[in-house]
Amino acid sequence: MANGILLIECADQQGIVSSVTDFIYTNKGNIVELDQYLDHENGHFFMRIEWALDDFTIEKEKIGEYFNTLLAKRFDIRYNLYFNDEEPRMALFVTKLSHCLIDLLGRWYNGSLHVKIPVVISNHEYLRDIVEKFGLKFYHIPITKENKAEQEQKHLEILEENKIDFVVLARYMQIIGEGLIKSYESRIINIHHSFLPAFVGAKPYHAAYARGVKIIGATAHYVTEELDAGPIIEQEVSRVSHHNTINDLVQMGQDVEKITLAKAVKKHVLRKTLVVGNKTIIFN
Amino acid sequence: MANGILLIECADQQGIVSSVTDFIYTNKGNIVELDQYLDHENGHFFMRIEWALDDFTIEKEKIGEYFNTLLAKRFDIRYNLYFNDEEPRMALFVTKLSHCLIDLLGRWYNGSLHVKIPVVISNHEYLRDIVEKFGLKFYHIPITKENKAEQEQKHLEILEENKIDFVVLARYMQIIGEGLIKSYESRIINIHHSFLPAFVGAKPYHAAYARGVKIIGATAHYVTEELDAGPIIEQEVSRVSHHNTINDLVQMGQDVEKITLAKAVKKHVLRKTLVVGNKTIIFN
Amino acid sequence: MANGILLIECADQQGIVSSVTDFIYTNKGNIVELDQYLDHENGHFFMRIEWALDDFTIEKEKIGEYFNTLLAKRFDIRYNLYFNDEEPRMALFVTKLSHCLIDLLGRWYNGSLHVKIPVVISNHEYLRDIVEKFGLKFYHIPITKENKAEQEQKHLEILEENKIDFVVLARYMQIIGEGLIKSYESRIINIHHSFLPAFVGAKPYHAAYARGVKIIGATAHYVTEELDAGPIIEQEVSRVSHHNTINDLVQMGQDVEKITLAKAVKKHVLRKTLVVGNKTIIFN
Amino acid sequence: MANGILLIECADQQGIVSSVTDFIYTNKGNIVELDQYLDHENGHFFMRIEWALDDFTIEKEKIGEYFNTLLAKRFDIRYNLYFNDEEPRMALFVTKLSHCLIDLLGRWYNGSLHVKIPVVISNHEYLRDIVEKFGLKFYHIPITKENKAEQEQKHLEILEENKIDFVVLARYMQIIGEGLIKSYESRIINIHHSFLPAFVGAKPYHAAYARGVKIIGATAHYVTEELDAGPIIEQEVSRVSHHNTINDLVQMGQDVEKITLAKAVKKHVLRKTLVVGNKTIIFN
């Protein structure tokens, strides 16, 4: 049977852990994973708790209501409740580069990503073939300076029609509009091809090459209105040398990008990420 | 135009580098990359030289003959000559796990692997669908204790028919027979899902979990008759913790496996590997 | 003021986390860090809790008694209670190599290691000078086949006289006797100069060189009677290439060894390690 | 006996490698290591060659003259000639933090750094004790806004008196003046406690914490007039999590800093670094 997952956030105060774990135990839930984090600086408390529903005495549909009534109000908790048998619906945005796309499609294909992919959206036709090979819907929404606002409206409609839960920018080479960012706050994951905050913006490998760094990296982050400045979910690096050309960096970087993005997506899907201000808490 | 690539091996002696580079320069070749290695212990010299053929005055078909006559005989050099516009023909062997397969197919699909894949061979039907999605030939050659010798003969026939240059075992869960190993010496690449020489043999993640290691790894190596003991081409690692179950190790390990294997395959394809005894030299 | 630290281990059962955190909160303790781990496979529960004693209403000397009476008996908890203002007393065993020794002495000197070092013991005189430069006691206890048992008795006496809490083998090139191992179970930390379980025993860099690995490593572990087979605390790795001689591996390995050992010692000192069977739990 | 080392730089042209290796061989030198790099973009050629002088027929004092006459003029080569039995004279600049200092002193003490350390200079008294424990000269040169220019003059005098070859800023918390930078171009190594170009300037760990990065780093670079912008020699990184406080980052960072700095210093000492524009070539 399924597991329930609660992501919890509140002011630090006595009795929260006890009360939440008691809520699970008393109702015959079997705790599978519990991880909490106390931000001393700001007096904030965060917790992720996952428990098996097999013998849980509160029926699935009522858990939210009960938790809200019995605990959330009492401790002034902000929370999200998920069930791990309900696969989130992910939309992919791509442009021309296929490495992140195929990596995610591969994970989806072999069942290790635990998502549905109702739609892939691109501003170009390049990747239609590979997307359709995998039996997925592909929308070509070309973007020009003139039609940008209008096409972003179309994005939003497609996402809504397809009941999309979160969006992954798998090397989508367009800046995302405010409307989409607001509608999907902390639910748009971008992969930036540098070790942020170094090399914000376009052509980071060219900049890395010019600076003569000995290590390159990639950063998966939630998208906010400021470019490449959103909360970081995951970062990975790779060693380079003076032998490597810009093209080498681009090639080597693709491996780092796709792994970093996939790790971030997986953490998001498993509900192991929590955004606090401009940072993330990543649970075990 | 194409580049020529020479992989050279001989006893260390005066004048080799000079003579080889002179051979290229005198005939108007433009050296693109030169890397050499001197094994002091054994007095052996190794070199990889790659040069542009654009203005090279010896015609492509004659380069081997000239090099052999003018240099190989003189210095008693063992060498291989390649051209980077001739994509090597790679056969993939797989069983049920798709992560290494899809990763390599993705790289082939976007043109970054520089190989042809005339055939994918499997002892199961599981991966036929994904292979055929990519438009490649899939052979199902089931293996039992009884038919093993016979089926290995079939393998060899298929490889021969398809003029296969090298074989990649992309998580192929069968031990390779002597015949194939001998026919494709230093041309069969296996990915082993541990940091060799730790955890040779079956179920390395189970063994790693039982030992309580803090880092797992993967090893790409050329296949020799002794199991998991061939020359290592590439190794990568990933940090784990006591929180991780065996299943976590298996999942996390898949990322390490596929990247390690792809790096090894790429080095092989670029003719940057040389086997010496039970080790490899990996050129820049 | 000081913090109290409880390391807790018991069968998984309802109400443990609640009861322990309540014990702290009710008595006006301020929880600074809480990390727990549930071993589903074996139904075991582990927790580390650290809290500020500033306003704690139970006096320091009585905490153990109260915890034992009110909680340990009730839940059948095995526990250890520590206070972070009581620096553990560490004995160092060394032979000839100074890199791990000086690294630990440096950390002790600048106050970042939080230990006392009442004594350094060696089977050679080589490192007396550097140890005495740092103002520490140095015992030269030479070991021969004939005097081994007797000298190990002397070790135990010195450790006892100096009220040693734990022992660090900082590249001590002798096998530790049963007596010492039994007296200091899970309290002797060794640094082995390989990525265990690869290359157990003597001369691991020679073995790594012979095998042609592309990555070397070091392993800090608690010493048990089976050589190099005790619970692993920390592992680190470093990339090598065919250019590296055995001597290069030895040199590069020294950096990995000293950092790995220091990390393990620090975790031990902060009471963040718990040995379970032949594995460790490492708390945040 | 000693080895000779030549670092060579010139426009790419036919016959350089041959001519240089012939120069060594013809005069009965035994090449120990040869590494070259061709910068295609700019048509520049770089080489490091190291050879044993045992049977070399040109006497040590004359090698420079002969090389200059026979080769440097012919190919318009810029070169430096070193001998590995002549330990370079290193000055250390420190402030209050001891981790990089003790790490370098430890390496010097056990003979693995191959330098002389005639002098340690500090703007504070804090580290006098540890420096003098190691038997080295310690100069306290306090810096204020008023005396800065004057004290920098004193620095230069001390360096000159002590015939210093290169300077290492081992967490020296003062900006280096123009005079010193000009006198020691490409010969002042600084360790910056971030993964440059991220977090230039003061308090990088605070900035990294505020940005919520998942990986921190350190960068060893040659000092140029622009702050933290000189040619990078070495970079290393370390993974962090939301559990880590600023103080944790500072502590964890110290391990990365000292290892990165030591690696850079070692490469400099072995004459394996070459500055080209604002980048470095790091030879094998």
Side-chain angles (χ1 to χ4, degrees):
Chain A
M1 247 200 84
N3 289 346
I5 298 166
L6 272 164
L7 283 184
I8 287 171
E9 185 180 348
C10 61
D12 187 29
Q13 55 200 294
Q14 192 177 333
I16 303 165
V17 176
S18 337
S19 302
V20 174
T21 55
D22 274 358
F23 171 75
I24 307 295
Y25 273 125
T26 307
N27 299 296
K28 298 196 188 299
N30 185 15
I31 294 176
V32 168
E33 191 120 33
L34 191 168
D35 193 13
Q36 81 278 306
Y37 169 63
L38 180 55
D39 174 355
H40 289 99
E41 217 177 311
N42 302 302
H44 271 26
F45 174 83
F46 307 91
M47 186 161 88
R48 180 187 184 277
I49 188 162
E50 180 171 349
W51 74 101
L53 295 179
D54 304 64
D55 303 320
F56 204 52
T57 50
I58 305 174
E59 54 184 319
K60 204 172 152 184
E61 294 69 29
K62 293 283 186 181
I63 295 173
E65 184 196 320
Y66 276 58
F67 183 80
N68 193 44
T69 307
L70 300 174
L71 287 158
K73 286 180 179 170
R74 179 170 153 213
F75 290 105
D76 199 13
I77 291 173
R78 282 190 291 154
Y79 70 95
N80 280 295
L81 174 65
Y82 305 99
F83 299 101
N84 76 349
D85 60 346
E86 296 170 7
E87 296 193 329
R89 299 169 69 82
M90 171 174 86
L92 286 171
F93 280 54
V94 298
T95 294
K96 294 181 182 177
L97 291 169
S98 65
H99 56 288
C100 287
L101 171 68
I102 295 180
D103 185 70
L104 290 170
L105 295 183
R107 291 168 198 269
W108 165 79
Y109 181 82
N110 71 29
S112 66
L113 200 54
H114 306 295
V115 292
K116 291 192 166 35
I117 309 180
V119 54
V120 180
I121 292 172
S122 180
N123 55 331
H124 283 282
E125 281 285 2
Y126 290 81
L127 300 173
R128 176 186 293 279
D129 171 61
I130 186 75
V131 169
E132 293 184 349
K133 269 191 202 325
F134 278 87
L136 299 174
K137 258 190 296 181
F138 181 88
Y139 287 84
H140 176 211
I141 318 269
I143 308 275
T144 63
K145 229 184 273 181
E146 290 69 34
N147 73 2
K148 196 161 209 278
E150 183 189 339
Q151 298 296 64
E152 284 175 3
Q153 194 47 45
K154 202 174 282 175
H155 286 162
L156 274 168
E157 284 162 21
I158 295 171
L159 299 183
E160 197 166 313
E161 271 168 32
N162 287 281
K163 297 193 179 96
I164 293 304
D165 292 308
F166 75 108
V167 173
V168 173
L169 310 179
R171 297 298 310 274
Y172 181 63
M173 306 308 273
Q174 290 284 330
I175 291 174
I176 294 297
E178 230 176 90
L180 186 50
I181 293 175
K182 278 194 177 138
S183 302
Y184 282 86
E185 201 195 336
S186 299
R187 293 189 293 149
I188 306 174
I189 299 173
N190 182 47
I191 180 72
H192 184 73
H193 39 316
S194 86
F195 186 84
L196 288 176
F199 311 125
V200 166
K203 296 208 172 280
Y205 292 123
H206 288 71
Y209 179 80
R211 180 64 188 90
V213 296
K214 299 301 183 188
I215 292 178
I216 57 168
T219 305
H221 64 93
Y222 287 113
V223 173
T224 55
E225 287 181 31
E226 191 182 342
L227 186 67
D228 298 334
I232 294 170
I233 308 167
E234 180 63 281
Q235 296 186 295
E236 298 276 344
V237 296
S238 182
R239 191 160 280 277
V240 298
S241 87
H242 63 272
H243 283 287
N244 299 123
T245 61
I246 291 179
N247 189 46
D248 290 339
L249 301 197
V250 169
Q251 289 288 322
M252 295 161 81
Q254 292 194 348
D255 282 356
V256 185
E257 293 163 30
K258 75 185 191 187
I259 296 296
T260 306
L261 179 58
K263 285 187 176 174
V265 170
K266 190 140 193 192
K267 280 171 185 162
H268 182 91
V269 169
L270 296 176
R271 316 304 186 175
K272 297 196 164 182
T273 66
L274 206 52
V275 171
V276 190
N278 202 41
K279 298 189 188 182
T280 61
I281 292 168
I282 307 294
F283 292 106
N284 282 322
Chain B
M1 246 201 85
N3 290 345
I5 298 165
L6 271 164
L7 284 184
I8 288 170
E9 185 181 349
C10 61
D12 187 31
Q13 56 201 292
Q14 193 177 332
I16 303 164
V17 177
S18 339
S19 303
V20 175
T21 55
D22 275 358
F23 171 75
I24 307 294
Y25 274 124
T26 308
N27 298 297
K28 298 196 188 299
N30 185 16
I31 293 176
V32 168
E33 190 120 33
L34 190 167
D35 192 14
Q36 81 278 307
Y37 169 64
L38 180 55
D39 174 356
H40 289 99
E41 218 176 312
N42 302 301
H44 270 27
F45 174 83
F46 307 92
M47 186 161 87
R48 181 186 183 279
I49 189 163
E50 179 171 350
W51 74 102
L53 296 179
D54 305 62
D55 304 319
F56 205 53
T57 50
I58 306 175
E59 55 184 321
K60 205 172 150 185
E61 294 67 30
K62 292 283 186 180
I63 295 173
E65 184 195 320
Y66 276 58
F67 182 81
N68 193 44
T69 307
L70 300 174
L71 287 157
K73 286 180 178 167
R74 178 169 154 215
F75 290 104
D76 200 11
I77 291 173
R78 283 189 291 153
Y79 70 96
N80 280 294
L81 173 66
Y82 305 100
F83 299 100
N84 76 349
D85 59 346
E86 296 170 7
E87 297 193 327
R89 300 170 68 82
M90 170 174 87
L92 286 171
F93 279 54
V94 296
T95 295
K96 295 181 182 177
L97 291 170
S98 65
H99 58 287
C100 287
L101 171 68
I102 295 180
D103 186 71
L104 290 171
L105 295 184
R107 292 168 197 270
W108 166 79
Y109 181 81
N110 70 29
S112 67
L113 199 55
H114 306 295
V115 292
K116 290 190 167 37
I117 309 181
V119 55
V120 180
I121 292 171
S122 180
N123 55 331
H124 284 281
E125 281 285 1
Y126 290 82
L127 300 173
R128 176 186 293 278
D129 171 62
I130 187 73
V131 168
E132 293 184 349
K133 269 192 204 323
F134 278 87
L136 298 174
K137 256 190 296 182
F138 181 88
Y139 286 84
H140 177 211
I141 318 269
I143 308 276
T144 63
K145 227 183 274 181
E146 289 69 34
N147 73 2
K148 196 160 207 280
E150 184 188 338
Q151 298 296 64
E152 284 175 3
Q153 193 48 45
K154 203 174 283 176
H155 286 162
L156 276 168
E157 283 161 21
I158 295 171
L159 299 183
E160 196 165 315
E161 272 166 32
N162 287 281
K163 297 192 180 97
I164 294 303
D165 292 307
F166 75 108
V167 173
V168 173
L169 310 178
R171 296 298 311 274
Y172 180 63
M173 306 307 274
Q174 291 283 330
I175 291 173
I176 296 297
E178 230 175 272
L180 186 50
I181 293 174
K182 279 196 176 135
S183 303
Y184 282 87
E185 202 196 335
S186 301
R187 292 188 295 148
I188 306 174
I189 299 173
N190 182 46
I191 181 70
H192 184 72
H193 40 315
S194 85
F195 187 83
L196 288 176
F199 310 125
V200 166
K203 297 207 171 279
Y205 292 123
H206 289 70
Y209 179 80
R211 180 63 186 90
V213 296
K214 299 299 183 188
I215 292 176
I216 57 168
T219 305
H221 63 94
Y222 287 113
V223 173
T224 56
E225 286 181 34
E226 190 182 342
L227 185 67
D228 298 332
I232 294 170
I233 307 168
E234 180 63 281
Q235 297 186 296
E236 298 276 344
V237 295
S238 183
R239 190 160 281 277
V240 297
S241 86
H242 64 273
H243 283 286
N244 299 122
T245 61
I246 291 180
N247 190 46
D248 290 339
L249 301 197
V250 169
Q251 289 288 323
M252 297 161 80
Q254 292 193 349
D255 282 356
V256 185
E257 292 162 29
K258 76 185 191 187
I259 296 296
T260 307
L261 179 58
K263 285 186 177 175
V265 170
K266 191 141 192 192
K267 280 170 184 163
H268 182 91
V269 169
L270 296 176
R271 316 303 186 177
K272 296 196 164 184
T273 65
L274 206 51
V275 171
V276 189
N278 202 43
K279 297 190 190 182
T280 60
I281 292 168
I282 307 294
F283 292 106
N284 284 322
Chain C
M1 247 199 83
N3 290 346
I5 298 166
L6 272 164
L7 284 184
I8 287 171
E9 184 180 349
C10 61
D12 186 30
Q13 56 202 292
Q14 193 178 332
I16 303 164
V17 177
S18 338
S19 303
V20 175
T21 55
D22 275 357
F23 172 76
I24 306 295
Y25 274 125
T26 307
N27 298 296
K28 298 193 188 300
N30 185 15
I31 293 176
V32 168
E33 190 121 32
L34 191 167
D35 192 13
Q36 82 278 307
Y37 169 63
L38 180 55
D39 174 355
H40 289 98
E41 216 176 313
N42 301 301
H44 270 26
F45 174 83
F46 307 92
M47 185 161 89
R48 181 187 184 278
I49 188 162
E50 180 171 349
W51 74 102
L53 295 179
D54 304 64
D55 303 319
F56 204 54
T57 50
I58 307 174
E59 54 183 320
K60 206 172 150 182
E61 294 68 29
K62 292 284 186 179
I63 296 173
E65 185 196 319
Y66 275 57
F67 183 81
N68 193 43
T69 306
L70 300 174
L71 287 157
K73 285 179 178 170
R74 180 170 153 213
F75 290 104
D76 200 12
I77 291 172
R78 282 189 292 154
Y79 71 95
N80 280 295
L81 173 65
Y82 305 100
F83 299 101
N84 76 349
D85 59 346
E86 296 170 6
E87 295 193 329
R89 300 170 68 81
M90 170 174 87
L92 286 170
F93 279 55
V94 298
T95 294
K96 294 181 183 176
L97 291 170
S98 66
H99 58 288
C100 287
L101 171 69
I102 294 180
D103 185 71
L104 289 171
L105 294 184
R107 291 168 198 268
W108 166 79
Y109 181 82
N110 71 29
S112 67
L113 200 55
H114 307 295
V115 293
K116 290 191 167 37
I117 309 180
V119 54
V120 180
I121 291 171
S122 180
N123 55 331
H124 283 280
E125 281 285 1
Y126 290 82
L127 300 173
R128 174 185 294 278
D129 171 61
I130 186 74
V131 168
E132 293 184 348
K133 269 192 202 326
F134 278 86
L136 299 174
K137 260 191 295 182
F138 181 89
Y139 287 84
H140 177 211
I141 318 269
I143 309 275
T144 62
K145 227 183 275 180
E146 289 71 33
N147 74 3
K148 196 160 206 278
E150 185 188 337
Q151 298 296 63
E152 284 176 3
Q153 194 47 45
K154 203 174 281 176
H155 286 161
L156 275 169
E157 284 162 21
I158 294 171
L159 298 184
E160 197 165 314
E161 271 167 32
N162 287 281
K163 296 191 180 98
I164 294 304
D165 292 308
F166 75 108
V167 173
V168 172
L169 310 179
R171 297 297 312 272
Y172 181 63
M173 306 307 275
Q174 290 284 329
I175 290 174
I176 296 297
E178 231 176 274
L180 187 50
I181 293 174
K182 279 195 175 138
S183 302
Y184 282 86
E185 201 195 336
S186 299
R187 292 188 295 149
I188 306 174
I189 299 172
N190 182 47
I191 181 71
H192 184 72
H193 40 315
S194 86
F195 186 83
L196 288 176
F199 310 127
V200 166
K203 297 208 172 280
Y205 292 123
H206 288 71
Y209 179 80
R211 181 62 187 90
V213 295
K214 299 300 184 188
I215 292 177
I216 57 168
T219 305
H221 64 93
Y222 287 113
V223 173
T224 55
E225 286 181 33
E226 191 182 341
L227 186 67
D228 298 332
I232 294 170
I233 307 168
E234 181 61 283
Q235 297 186 295
E236 298 276 344
V237 296
S238 182
R239 190 161 281 277
V240 298
S241 86
H242 63 273
H243 283 286
N244 298 124
T245 62
I246 291 180
N247 190 46
D248 290 339
L249 301 196
V250 169
Q251 289 288 323
M252 296 161 80
Q254 292 194 348
D255 282 356
V256 185
E257 292 163 29
K258 75 184 190 187
I259 296 296
T260 307
L261 179 58
K263 285 186 176 174
V265 170
K266 190 139 193 195
K267 280 170 183 161
H268 182 90
V269 169
L270 296 176
R271 315 304 187 176
K272 296 196 163 182
T273 65
L274 207 52
V275 171
V276 189
N278 203 42
K279 298 189 189 181
T280 60
I281 292 168
I282 308 294
F283 292 106
N284 283 322
Chain D
M1 245 201 85
N3 290 345
I5 298 166
L6 272 164
L7 284 184
I8 288 170
E9 185 181 348
C10 61
D12 186 31
Q13 57 202 291
Q14 192 176 332
I16 303 164
V17 176
S18 339
S19 302
V20 175
T21 55
D22 275 358
F23 171 76
I24 307 294
Y25 274 124
T26 308
N27 298 297
K28 298 195 188 300
N30 185 15
I31 293 175
V32 168
E33 190 120 32
L34 191 167
D35 192 13
Q36 82 279 307
Y37 169 64
L38 180 55
D39 173 356
H40 289 98
E41 217 176 314
N42 301 301
H44 270 28
F45 174 82
F46 307 92
M47 185 161 88
R48 181 186 182 278
I49 188 162
E50 180 171 350
W51 73 102
L53 296 178
D54 304 64
D55 304 319
F56 204 54
T57 50
I58 306 175
E59 55 184 320
K60 204 172 152 183
E61 295 67 29
K62 293 283 188 180
I63 296 173
E65 184 195 319
Y66 276 57
F67 183 81
N68 192 43
T69 307
L70 300 174
L71 287 157
K73 286 180 179 168
R74 180 170 152 214
F75 290 104
D76 200 11
I77 291 173
R78 281 189 293 153
Y79 70 95
N80 279 294
L81 174 65
Y82 305 100
F83 299 101
N84 76 349
D85 59 347
E86 296 171 6
E87 295 193 329
R89 299 170 68 81
M90 170 173 86
L92 286 171
F93 280 54
V94 297
T95 295
K96 295 181 182 176
L97 291 170
S98 65
H99 58 287
C100 288
L101 171 68
I102 294 180
D103 185 72
L104 289 171
L105 295 184
R107 292 168 197 269
W108 165 79
Y109 181 82
N110 71 29
S112 66
L113 199 56
H114 307 295
V115 293
K116 289 189 168 38
I117 309 181
V119 55
V120 180
I121 291 172
S122 180
N123 54 331
H124 283 281
E125 281 286 2
Y126 290 82
L127 300 173
R128 176 186 293 279
D129 171 63
I130 187 74
V131 168
E132 293 183 349
K133 270 191 203 323
F134 278 87
L136 298 174
K137 258 190 295 182
F138 180 89
Y139 287 85
H140 177 211
I141 318 268
I143 308 274
T144 62
K145 228 184 274 181
E146 290 69 33
N147 73 3
K148 196 160 208 279
E150 184 188 338
Q151 298 296 64
E152 285 175 3
Q153 193 48 43
K154 202 173 283 176
H155 286 162
L156 275 169
E157 284 162 22
I158 294 171
L159 299 183
E160 196 166 314
E161 272 166 33
N162 288 281
K163 297 191 179 100
I164 294 303
D165 292 308
F166 75 108
V167 173
V168 173
L169 310 179
R171 294 300 310 274
Y172 180 63
M173 306 307 274
Q174 290 284 329
I175 291 174
I176 295 297
E178 229 177 273
L180 186 50
I181 293 174
K182 278 194 176 138
S183 302
Y184 282 86
E185 203 195 333
S186 301
R187 293 188 294 149
I188 307 175
I189 299 173
N190 182 47
I191 180 71
H192 183 72
H193 39 316
S194 86
F195 186 83
L196 288 176
F199 311 125
V200 165
K203 297 210 172 279
Y205 291 124
H206 288 69
Y209 179 80
R211 180 64 187 89
V213 297
K214 300 300 184 188
I215 292 177
I216 57 169
T219 306
H221 63 94
Y222 287 114
V223 174
T224 56
E225 286 181 33
E226 191 182 343
L227 186 68
D228 298 333
I232 294 171
I233 308 168
E234 180 62 282
Q235 297 186 294
E236 298 276 345
V237 295
S238 182
R239 190 160 281 276
V240 297
S241 86
H242 64 273
H243 283 286
N244 298 123
T245 62
I246 292 180
N247 190 45
D248 290 339
L249 301 197
V250 169
Q251 289 288 323
M252 296 160 80
Q254 292 194 348
D255 282 357
V256 185
E257 292 162 29
K258 76 185 191 188
I259 296 297
T260 307
L261 179 58
K263 285 187 176 173
V265 170
K266 191 142 192 192
K267 280 171 184 162
H268 182 91
V269 169
L270 295 177
R271 314 305 186 177
K272 297 196 163 182
T273 66
L274 207 52
V275 171
V276 189
N278 202 42
K279 298 190 191 182
T280 60
I281 292 167
I282 308 294
F283 292 106
N284 284 323

